[in-house]
Amino acid sequence: MTTAELALTVRLNTSAADARRGVVRLHPEALTALGLREWDAIALIGARRTSAVAGLAPAGTPTGTILLDDVTLSNTGLRENATVVVAPVTVYGARSVTVTGSSLATHSISDATLRQALLGKVVTVGDTVSLLPRDLGPGTSTADTTRTLSRTFGVAWTSELLTVTAVDPTGPVSVQPNTAVTWGGRTGAPAPYAPAVAGAAATFTAPERAAAPPPEDLVGVQAQVAKLTEWLKLSLDEPELLRTLGASPHLGVLVTGPAGVGKATLARAVLAHRKVVEVDGPGVGALAADERLRRVTAAADAVAGDGVLLVTDIDALLPDTPEPVSTLILDVLRRIVDTPGVALVATTAHPDAVDSRLRSPEICDRELSLPLPDGATRRALLDVLLRTVPSEGLKLDAIAARAPGFVAADLAALCREAALRAASRASRDDEDPVLLHEDMVGALEVIRPLSRSGTEELAIGSVTLADVGDMVETKQALTEAVLWPLQHPDSFARLGVDPPRGVLLYGPPGCGKTYLVRALASTGHLSVHAVKGAELMDKWVGASEKAVRELFARARDSAPSLIFLDEVDALAPRRGQSSDSGVADRVVAALLTELDGVEPLRDVVVLGATNRPDLIDPALLRPGRLERLVFVPPPDAEARVDILQTAGKSVPLADDVDLGALAADLDGYSAADCAALLREAALAAMRRNVDAAVVTADDVATARTAVRPSLDPAQVEHLRAYAENR
């Protein structure tokens, strides 16, 4: 072994942020010994040779340890606790990279999307790579990649693994924006129900029908199954009954629902015993206009006379900004519906993004909506998904409760991720594969629901309300206003009252309002949609109002959920007092409509936070909207002790630092001030001696001169009395 090589002990990296992203973690001293900087490429030499991108290991990682995710560990051919040789390596930008994957991935994901998913990764022939973008360090994927993968491939992309079969030039290469990344072996017919980009239309064969789930396995949508079955029976099998009653037997159905909820699966299960020609909306919609029309016409000709034309994700084929070819495609669909013995079934997760002409009485005159699964439905879906899996100690009720917003596809991906963890453990320990409850809990940290893809979320963590010191009255008020309506709706119904729809959290800045929201969401297992006030403002007419509608729509789709409007005074100021061409006034109107409009908010609570409640439009604070006002007080001496202890966990304090006495002397300091005080004390220790090992009482005293209390007693009293003076 040369001086430019190190032998390190392998540890499995369990961080969800690093999961399968092609990044290994090393101690800073190891990087220095190798003469490397963070995000440089390194060679890993084990049972086989592979390469990866090197990042810094978290604090506390031993010097002689390297952290590898399960995919990179598999590429080395080693197991955990083995020794791997690490060395610098020269990596060239790839001219071309060829990979293979499942038939579903091969026919669903375009080469351009594939390149974006692998951007910045270092690969070698024979390596296994995931579609999870690197998203760490320079030269990484864009945020749009995950949305594109979710839209074209469903949630299965999070667990899809690919094999690198060829690279140019030879040796380890880095995937660059100009690299030609292609699928290898893209030949033959697609897998059952795979979107057929090559053929764009597929007629179900007998084996494909067998692959469709039986209708009884479609948990939570039995009413929709029965309705679609009845419509097909009357229109295709007994049309004379309708004609006798003076009704046309033609049938066009638009199936709507959140992405991944099982719209196409429901249609295929109901149509399992009929001739079906399927058109993949995204696959055909990406083609040139004349080719789009040719594909749809060919599918119509294939189904003419007897059968059903199934168009999945029709919003990609007929968007709400129609092109000239859209009119011709609609004419073909209209002809299909008018043909005796033929029906049209279309699916979409974005009904507002579909050409409005599709809903005309001559085409899709009926609509089926699939709901988001509730807790009981998620539990039943997990039962179906895991009924043949060897398991031990699974608590599916607890898993279902911790998965708000998960649809059927999300739960399937959750089970696959848990199975991968169980398989990795079985391979490492040479034991029979058994799925444990810990595998499912670990998978929950990796799999994110489709209903939240591409949206801003609050980092919740594991802190609950029980971990929040002091604030007894504040925590009780939040529990009653937010958690009780979601956890005990039967009690509100029994007493004949509607639960509060919204809560305003107000108090001095830096006193933990956002921290409380994180704890609240963790306690109630809620999905949180966090928006800062100014983020919804847009100069274009109608854009801000649309952003508000989409925010509430996402919250309804992922219920039970919490909408957190931080700095709500910037989002909903008093109307008539702004000079922004009326944008703020229209946003306030949109908020009022969503909070107290025709469509009720079910299992959704709106929580606003501000330190200037007097600037908020009064209409937003009346009963039925943000009706509960909860004051977050500044920390008292006891609370400041807890804050200092929490903030000082990673700070080596000398024995002469008495946090209890310090907290008692910090009257007027907010929670943020207390944390800043310890940071400044650490910097003071570094100024005293850059190699200082501990922070002394003198350092804390020096920090006191730099960090002054930010709380104004008059402002605190004014805020405390705000609710009484309204």
Side-chain angles (χ1 to χ4, degrees):
M1 190 160 42
T2 68
T3 56
E5 294 180 352
L6 291 177
L8 302 175
T9 302
V10 173
R11 292 285 187 270
L12 186 64
N13 188 352
T14 58
S15 169
D18 290 350
R20 304 179 186 174
R21 301 183 188 273
V23 176
V24 302
R25 297 288 183 175
L26 297 115
H27 192 279
E29 292 182 9
L31 279 176
T32 302
L34 293 169
L36 299 174
R37 296 174 300 178
E38 189 179 19
W39 310 122
D40 283 348
I42 59 171
L44 303 170
I45 307 168
R48 67 180 294 272
R49 187 184 183 101
T50 186
S51 299
V53 176
L56 290 176
T61 303
T63 308
T65 296
I66 182 172
L67 303 180
L68 277 65
D69 62 48
D70 52 351
V71 172
T72 308
L73 184 61
S74 173
N75 287 336
T76 64
L78 300 175
R79 293 186 176 183
E80 193 174 8
N81 298 321
T83 299
V84 65
V85 176
V86 181
V89 65
T90 301
V91 173
Y92 297 97
R95 287 190 290 270
S96 66
V97 174
T98 304
V99 299
T100 59
S102 68
S103 179
L104 181 60
T106 303
H107 291 87
S108 301
I109 302 172
S110 68
D111 293 345
T113 302
L114 183 63
R115 179 178 62 248
Q116 285 298 111
L118 301 183
L119 195 63
K121 294 187 178 183
V122 176
V123 297
T124 308
V125 172
D127 280 354
T128 298
V129 295
S130 79
L131 286 170
L132 287 166
R134 194 179 112 189
D135 280 343
L136 298 165
T140 60
S141 275
T142 65
D144 293 335
T145 307
T146 57
R147 289 193 287 271
T148 303
L149 287 167
S150 297
R151 185 177 65 252
T152 59
F153 189 35
V155 77
W157 74 270
T158 58
S159 55
E160 178 73 20
L161 296 179
L162 315 176
T163 301
V164 180
T165 57
V167 297
D168 180 27
T170 58
V173 296
S174 174
V175 179
Q176 301 295 313
N178 60 348
T179 301
V181 183
T182 57
W183 291 104
R186 186 186 271 179
T187 58
Y193 309 133
V197 175
T203 304
F204 290 1
T205 61
E208 290 171 338
R209 290 194 187 100
E216 57 268 20
D217 281 353
L218 301 177
V219 179
V221 290
Q222 292 301 324
Q224 288 83 352
V225 169
K227 188 169 291 186
L228 182 57
T229 302
E230 179 184 7
W231 288 346
L232 289 165
K233 177 184 176 184
L234 291 175
S235 297
L236 302 184
D237 302 334
E238 301 173 352
E240 292 303 324
L241 292 177
L242 293 173
R243 292 194 181 99
T244 301
L245 295 171
S248 171
H250 80 263
L251 179 63
V253 182
L254 182 63
V255 184
T256 64
V261 79
K263 300 177 292 296
T265 302
L266 177 143
R268 290 164 183 151
V270 173
L271 300 172
H273 303 292
R274 300 181 184 273
K275 174 187 174 184
V276 178
V277 175
E278 181 174 341
V279 173
D280 171 50
V284 178
L287 303 174
D290 56 344
E291 184 64 15
R292 258 181 282 168
L293 180 60
R294 190 187 70 78
R295 296 290 179 89
V296 175
T297 303
D301 293 340
V303 77
D306 177 30
V308 179
L309 177 64
L310 174 61
V311 185
T312 58
D313 296 316
I314 197 169
D315 50 285
L317 180 63
L318 293 170
D320 58 349
T321 52
E323 303 174 14
V325 71
S326 297
T327 301
L328 301 177
I329 292 175
L330 287 167
D331 287 340
V332 174
L333 298 181
R334 189 177 291 107
R335 173 168 59 86
I336 282 289
V337 174
D338 287 340
T339 303
V342 178
L344 168 67
V345 177
T347 70
T348 179
H350 309 285
D352 294 337
V354 181
D355 192 324
S356 59
R357 294 174 293 178
L358 180 70
R359 286 190 171 93
S360 68
E362 295 83 14
I363 307 178
C364 287
D365 59 337
R366 307 181 197 189
E367 187 168 328
L368 269 183
S369 180
L370 273 60
L372 198 78
D374 57 16
T377 303
R378 293 195 297 270
R379 170 66 164 83
L381 285 169
L382 288 171
D383 274 332
V384 171
L385 292 168
L386 298 174
R387 60 188 171 192
T388 61
V389 176
S391 59
E392 183 178 311
L394 290 184
K395 302 173 185 176
L396 296 185
D397 287 326
I399 297 298
R402 292 185 57 180
F406 278 61
V407 294
D410 300 324
L411 295 173
L414 183 71
C415 294
R416 284 193 295 272
E417 174 65 25
L420 188 61
R421 291 168 179 263
S424 177
R425 183 180 60 254
S427 174
R428 181 178 65 249
D429 300 338
D430 194 20
E431 59 184 21
D432 293 334
V434 177
L435 192 67
L436 303 179
H437 182 71
E438 292 73 19
D439 299 322
M440 297 292 289
V441 172
L444 279 170
E445 298 177 358
V446 177
I447 303 300
R448 309 308 302 160
L450 281 174
S451 60
R452 283 181 258 170
S453 61
T455 67
E456 182 69 23
E457 288 190 47
L458 202 66
I460 295 174
S462 58
V463 176
T464 65
L465 285 178
D467 301 319
V468 178
D470 199 31
M471 299 196 208
V472 177
E473 295 181 0
T474 302
K475 291 190 293 183
Q476 181 62 29
L478 286 176
T479 300
E480 295 175 3
V482 178
L483 297 185
W484 283 6
L486 301 177
Q487 295 174 345
H488 308 290
D490 52 333
S491 297
F492 285 90
R494 185 172 60 253
L495 296 175
V497 294
D498 292 328
R501 293 186 182 179
V503 180
L504 178 66
L505 206 61
Y506 71 101
C511 289
K513 294 185 287 296
T514 304
Y515 182 78
L516 267 175
V517 175
R518 291 194 184 103
L520 184 69
S522 180
T523 302
H525 302 302
L526 309 175
S527 58
V528 181
H529 301 267
V531 176
K532 289 188 177 180
E535 290 180 0
L536 293 180
M537 297 297 187
D538 196 298
K539 66 179 180 179
W540 302 108
V541 175
S544 297
E545 300 92 304
K546 182 180 179 182
V548 173
R549 291 195 302 271
E550 290 177 347
L551 171 66
F552 278 79
R554 289 196 303 268
R556 290 187 182 95
D557 286 344
S558 59
S561 61
L562 180 67
I563 297 177
F564 178 44
L565 304 176
D566 202 3
E567 301 170 8
V568 69
D569 51 287
L571 176 65
R574 291 175 179 268
R575 285 174 287 183
Q577 298 183 7
S578 61
S579 57
D580 55 4
S581 302
V583 173
D585 292 356
R586 294 196 298 271
V587 169
V588 173
L591 268 177
L592 298 179
T593 302
E594 292 291 344
L595 280 167
D596 197 18
V598 175
E599 186 176 0
L601 281 177
R602 293 190 177 92
D603 294 334
V604 177
V605 177
V606 181
L607 183 59
T610 181
N611 55 15
R612 292 297 306 274
D614 52 305
L615 298 183
I616 300 174
D617 190 273
L620 196 63
L621 303 180
R622 75 157 177 79
R625 292 163 182 169
L626 300 184
E627 59 184 78
R628 288 292 300 273
L629 274 64
V630 178
F631 178 64
V632 181
D636 57 16
E638 184 178 347
R640 290 194 293 269
V641 172
D642 294 337
I643 293 167
L644 289 171
Q645 289 176 343
T646 301
K649 281 182 179 179
S650 58
V651 180
L653 298 173
D655 294 337
D656 61 348
V657 178
D658 185 349
L659 292 183
L662 177 63
D665 196 33
L666 293 180
D667 190 31
Y669 279 69
S670 68
D673 296 334
C674 293
L677 178 65
L678 289 184
R679 285 197 302 271
E680 183 62 29
L683 290 174
M686 293 177 64
R687 295 187 196 103
R688 172 173 51 83
N689 182 357
V690 74
D691 296 321
V694 294
V695 175
T696 66
D698 290 338
D699 298 325
V700 175
T702 302
R704 287 284 304 274
T705 63
V707 180
R708 308 304 300 168
S710 63
L711 296 179
D712 179 1
Q715 180 191 21
V716 172
E717 289 306 315
H718 173 73
L719 288 171
R720 194 187 300 273
Y722 173 76
E724 300 175 1
N725 297 334
R726 284 183 65 234

